Amino acid sequence: MSIKKQSLTLLSVSALTLSLSACSVFDWLVYKPDIPQGNYMEPQQVEKLRIDMTKEQVEFVLGRPVLRDSFKDDTWYYVYHYKSGRDASITHKELILHFSGDQLTKVTGDYELSNEFNTPLEQSSLPMANSPELTPQIPQQRGDEKPLVEEQDPTKMNKHAQDRK
C-alpha cells in the first residue's frame, strides 16, 4: 500500500508542478500581438529634413507629431514605441524638432541627420533615384493605315433600314 500512496503523491506533485508552470512552458503557444505606437519613421524621411524648413514642409515629410508643446508650438515630439508580442522586446525612438517662429532650427533624438541638414532647402539637392531621360517618349507608330474598327456609312445604314420596312 505504501508504494501506491507514494506513486499517487508523486503523480499529484508532478501534476501540480506542471499546472503551475504551464503558463511559462506553453507561453510560446499563446498568440500575443505586436504593439506599435506613435510615429514610425524611416531614416530616409529624417534625411530629408533641412534647416529653415517651414512647419508645413516638415509636417509633409514626417507627418503630424505625436505631441506638440502645450505652451508654445515651437517644439514637436515624434515618438515611436514598439513592443514585440513574441519576446516582449521594446524599441523606443524619439525625434525632437525645435522651431523659431515658423522655421526649423534644431533636431535632436535617436535618428541620424543628413550631412546636408545645415544647408537650407533652396541650396541643397535631395537624392534622386535615377535621372530622368531627356528624350521624349513617343509611342511607336502603327504600320498599317487600316482602321481598327470599320465604320458603316450612315447613308447606307438608312437605305438598309428602309429596305427592311
Side-chain angles (χ1 to χ4, degrees):
M1 280 299 240
S2 81
I3 294 179
K4 196 172 187 182
K5 282 186 179 181
Q6 285 179 347
S7 61
L8 186 62
T9 305
L10 183 62
L11 182 64
S12 300
V13 168
S14 60
L16 181 64
T17 305
L18 184 63
S19 68
L20 290 176
S21 66
C23 294
S24 63
V25 171
F26 299 110
D27 195 31
W28 56 275
L29 289 175
V30 177
Y31 173 74
K32 294 179 183 173
D34 298 333
I35 304 171
Q37 293 177 322
N39 297 93
Y40 175 75
M41 290 182 294
E42 293 286 337
Q44 293 87 351
Q45 290 175 287
V46 178
E47 288 175 2
K48 291 179 184 177
L49 292 177
R50 300 288 185 267
I51 199 161
D52 293 337
M53 285 179 94
T54 64
K55 291 180 180 180
E56 188 176 286
Q57 289 170 328
V58 171
E59 193 169 328
F60 179 77
V61 172
L62 298 179
R64 291 184 176 243
V66 170
L67 180 66
R68 293 184 187 195
D69 195 340
S70 301
F71 300 106
K72 319 193 265 187
D73 194 30
D74 289 345
T75 306
W76 289 3
Y77 298 91
Y78 289 86
V79 181
Y80 179 68
H81 187 84
Y82 176 83
K83 182 177 179 185
S84 172
R86 183 57 51 203
D87 59 359
S89 63
I90 294 175
T91 302
H92 185 82
K93 289 190 170 195
E94 292 182 1
L95 185 70
I96 303 167
L97 300 152
H98 301 277
F99 294 91
S100 177
D102 193 40
Q103 307 291 318
L104 180 64
T105 57
K106 182 179 164 189
V107 177
T108 58
D110 299 323
Y111 294 89
E112 288 190 34
L113 296 173
S114 169
N115 293 335
E116 293 186 12
F117 173 75
N118 290 320
T119 307
L121 189 59
E122 297 82 25
Q123 298 171 4
S124 68
S125 61
L126 294 176
M128 301 273 291
N130 54 7
S131 60
E133 289 185 296
L134 299 176
T135 58
Q137 299 293 312
I138 302 172
Q140 203 168 17
Q141 300 295 323
R142 198 163 49 93
D144 56 357
E145 293 183 16
K146 186 173 88 177
L148 297 175
V149 177
E150 203 154 316
E151 296 180 15
Q152 295 183 354
D153 188 9
T155 57
K156 290 181 181 178
M157 288 177 55
N158 289 340
K159 199 180 226 185
H160 291 294
Q162 289 175 0
D163 291 340
R164 291 183 190 166
K165 289 182 182 179

